Amino acid sequence: MMSKILLKSLLITPAFMGAFLAMSSPGISAEATKTADDATQTQTLVSDTSESQVPATTSQVSVSSLQPATTEQKLAQALPAQNTDASEASTLNQINQYVREGRSSRDQVTSVSQFSDVRPTDWAYQALKSLVERYGCIVGYPDKTYRGNRALTRWEFAAGLNACLDKIQELIAAATADFVRKEDLETVKKLQEEFAAELAALRGRVDALEVRTATLEKQQFSTTTKLSGEAIFAISDEFAQPGRNEAVFQDRVRLTLSSSFSGKDKLIVRLAAGNANLFNEYDLAGNRVGPLTEGSQTFNTNSGGNNSVLVDWAAYYFPIGENIQVYVPATGGLLYDLAPTSAGYLEDYDGGNGALSIFAQRNPIYDIGSGAGAGITFGAGKPLSLTAMYLSSTANNPNEGQGLFNGSYTALGQVTYAPNDQFSVSLTYVNAFQKGVDNNNVFTGGVFNSGGPALVGVRNTTNFLGIGLTGPQGVNVNAGGLSAVYKFSSSFALNGWVSYFKLDGLRDGQDPIDAWSYALGLSFPDFGKKGNLLGLFAGVPPYRTDVGEIPIHVEGLYRIRLNDNISVTPGVIWVINQGQRSDKDALIGTLRTTFTF
C-alpha cells in the first residue's frame, strides 16, 4: 500500500517521453548518473523524521551542540547490513526527490506553454503537449521548468509511467474511455510489460523497508530515550619507580541514557563503573605515601576498585528562545559541561578517544569543583557568548554549614569568542570555596575536584600537586584563565592555555599562595589514516611559586581508529619534577582500547 501511495506522488521525468516514443530501444532508459545540480536536491527518505538535537563526545552524550542521533542514523545502526542496501538507498533517494518536488508545486500545469524551458521546436514537444493537455499527468518543477535534458534511471521511468497509468485508469473509471485512443492503450500496455520487473521490484523493496522500519519501532525500548555507551580496556605501567608499581589491566564503563521530550531539551542520566585505581607514590626511602596523582588518566575513576555501579551524572539541558541555553545538574555537574573549553582535538571530556591524561585535555581551571547547581549561556551558537555557572559539592547535605549555599561551591563566569570552526578563545574567571581540604593534598582534596580514594564517584579525576598545608575553615580560590585553539587545517591544530590561581586560607595569618599553569598542545587529525589522531603535549600542572621546582608534564599518543566503534591508543606520560621535587619523576606507559556504541 505504501509503495502505491509513493508512486502516485511522483512527477514524470523528462526522459519519460523519450522512452515512450522509442519503446523498442530500452537502452534509452538505462541508468544514468545524476547531475551535480540534481544531486544537491536529493535527500534520504528517512530525513523527514530527523530529530532536533543536545555536545557529546564519545564518552558522554554530546553536550555542547545538544543534538541526538537522527532517525536515519538510528536506522543505519539498527538494520542489518545487506548487499542490497546501497541500491535500496539510491532508489529511495530518487523517489524522495520527486515526492518533495511534487509537493512543492502549487498549481497543476494545464498547458505545455507554462514550461519556461519547453519550445515548439523541441523534438518531443508534441508528445509532451499531449501528456500535459490531454492526460494531465505531468506537473513539472516548482519553478515552472521541465528540465528535458536531464538523465534518469529505469526506476524513475517506471515511477513516472505509473503516474500516467493511474491517470488513465481514472479517465476510464469516469466513463471517458472514448477520450483514450486505442493506440495509446497499446503503447501503455507494451510499456507496462517492458517495465513490469522494475515496478514489481520497486514495490517489493519499499514494502520490505516499511516492514523493517515497523519492526525497529516495536523493538526499541523507548520512543524518547537513546542509549549510548563507552568501554575502556587499558594496560598501564609506571616505570620511574622500578619494582614498586606493577603493570595493571584496568577498565571503565559508561552507559548514558539521553532523553528528549520536546526535541530541543535533553535529560541525561549516566551510569559508570570501573576498577582503574591510581598508581602508588613512594618517598625516597621506599615508603608508600599515597596515590600518584600527577599524570592521572581519564579512566582513573577510583570507584572502589570493584566495578561498582553508580550514577555519576544526572543533568537537564533546555533552551530559552533561540540563543539561551540552560543547564541544571542534579549530581556530578562540572564547569565544562556548559562552558566551552577551547581545547581542540585532545579534549574528549574524560572519554577514551582524546588525550591519555586529564591534564592534557583542557585548562585545569575547568576542573575546580563539581556537584549540583545551574548554569546559563547567553548567545549559544553565536560567535560571542557569555556563560555563568554555580555548582555546590555539598548541595545534598542538610547539616549546618553545608547545603547548597553555605558549603563548598564553585562559581564561573566566561566570555567565549568563536567566529568560525577554526578559531575559539575563552576568557574565564572562577571563584570557589572548598571546605575540609586535606592538609596533605591542597589541590587534590577538593580544590581541583580530584579523584582521590575518598572522592568515590566524582566524574572528574583530575589530580594536582599539594604540599603539606592546612586550611582550618577551608580554602578560597580565585582563578583566571585564557584558553585558545586554532585549526590551521583539517589535519593540524594548535591549542594552549595559561591560568593563575590565588589560594587563601591555607595558613592562618599568612599571605595567600600563588599558583600557575600553562601548556601547549599539537594535534594531527587523520594522521596516516582517516580517524586517527597524533597528539603531542607539553605543559606545567598547577604549581606553587613559593617552593620547589616547576613540574613539567610531557605526553605523546597516537590513536588508531580500527572502525567507527573501536580505537586503540598507545601513549606515554612523563612528569618531570613530580611533586615539585627535582629528584622525582613519574613515567607511565599505556595501551588503551576504547569501544563506543
Side-chain angles (χ1 to χ4, degrees), residues 49-119:
T49 59
S50 63
E51 305 168 7
S52 50
Q53 284 204 27
V54 175
T57 64
T58 52
S59 66
Q60 66 184 66
V61 170
S62 201
V63 295
S64 57
S65 65
L66 308 177
Q67 296 182 338
T70 64
T71 302
E72 179 182 359
Q73 292 168 334
K74 294 178 182 176
L75 286 172
Q77 295 171 1
L79 297 179
Q82 299 180 2
N83 292 334
T84 60
D85 285 350
S87 61
E88 288 181 9
S90 176
T91 300
L92 292 178
N93 286 348
Q94 296 164 11
I95 292 175
N96 191 57
Q97 174 188 351
Y98 285 88
V99 171
R100 291 179 177 276
E101 291 169 342
R103 289 175 181 170
S104 301
S105 190
R106 298 181 179 178
D107 303 317
Q108 172 67 43
V109 176
T110 58
S111 174
V112 71
S113 62
Q114 292 179 251
F115 291 126
S116 61
D117 58 346
V118 175
R119 296 174 177 81

Side-chain angles (χ1 to χ4, degrees), residues 117-338:
D117 58 346
V118 175
R119 296 174 177 81
T121 55
D122 293 332
W123 69 272
Y125 177 81
Q126 291 299 329
L128 183 60
K129 177 180 175 69
S130 177
L131 287 173
V132 172
E133 299 178 3
R134 292 185 61 210
Y135 298 109
C137 60
I138 291 182
V139 178
Y141 289 86
D143 60 356
K144 297 300 182 183
T145 61
Y146 183 65
R147 306 181 192 177
N149 292 323
R150 70 177 296 274
L152 83 163
T153 66
R154 291 173 67 88
W155 294 112
E156 295 171 335
F157 182 85
L161 171 62
N162 190 75
C164 272
L165 293 180
D166 288 340
K167 185 63 177 181
I168 292 174
Q169 290 175 0
E170 291 177 8
L171 293 173
I172 294 174
T176 58
D178 57 334
F179 189 63
V180 182
R181 296 175 180 175
K182 182 178 180 179
E183 56 268 26
D184 291 338
L185 294 177
E186 289 296 328
T187 301
V188 167
K189 181 179 179 180
K190 292 180 180 179
L191 287 172
Q192 281 184 302
E193 294 174 356
E194 172 72 21
F195 291 95
E198 284 82 355
L199 287 169
L202 180 59
R203 292 190 184 98
R205 290 183 177 184
V206 173
D207 288 342
L209 182 60
E210 185 179 32
V211 171
R212 293 164 67 184
T213 302
T215 301
L216 177 62
E217 291 175 348
K218 290 179 181 179
Q219 292 178 349
Q220 64 179 345
F221 75 97
S222 172
T223 58
T224 60
T225 303
K226 177 186 176 182
L227 173 66
S228 60
E230 179 191 73
I232 297 176
F233 294 175
I235 299 177
S236 301
D237 200 357
E238 199 280 315
F239 301 100
Q241 304 176 87
R244 295 172 181 174
N245 282 306
E246 302 292 344
V248 292
F249 186 16
Q250 301 173 321
D251 76 90
R252 188 196 68 190
V253 178
R254 285 173 169 177
L255 297 177
T256 303
L257 297 171
S258 177
S259 304
S260 181
F261 309 102
S262 66
K264 297 182 179 180
D265 62 339
K266 186 64 58 178
L267 172 65
I268 297 175
V269 177
R270 192 172 70 192
L271 305 177
N275 63 3
N277 291 313
L278 298 169
F279 288 108
N280 296 314
E281 180 183 356
Y282 296 87
D283 61 20
L284 296 179
N287 300 312
R288 181 180 180 275
V289 296
L292 180 61
T293 57
E294 294 176 84
S296 299
Q297 301 185 71
T298 61
F299 52 82
N300 292 135
T301 57
N302 297 298
S303 58
N306 57 0
N307 280 307
S308 56
V309 180
L310 51 90
V311 178
D312 75 333
W313 187 26
Y316 184 57
Y317 292 86
F318 64 92
I320 298 178
E322 296 183 356
N323 300 319
I324 298 178
Q325 185 69 42
V326 179
Y327 172 58
V328 182
T331 186
L334 294 170
L335 298 180
Y336 58 80
D337 291 338
L338 185 65

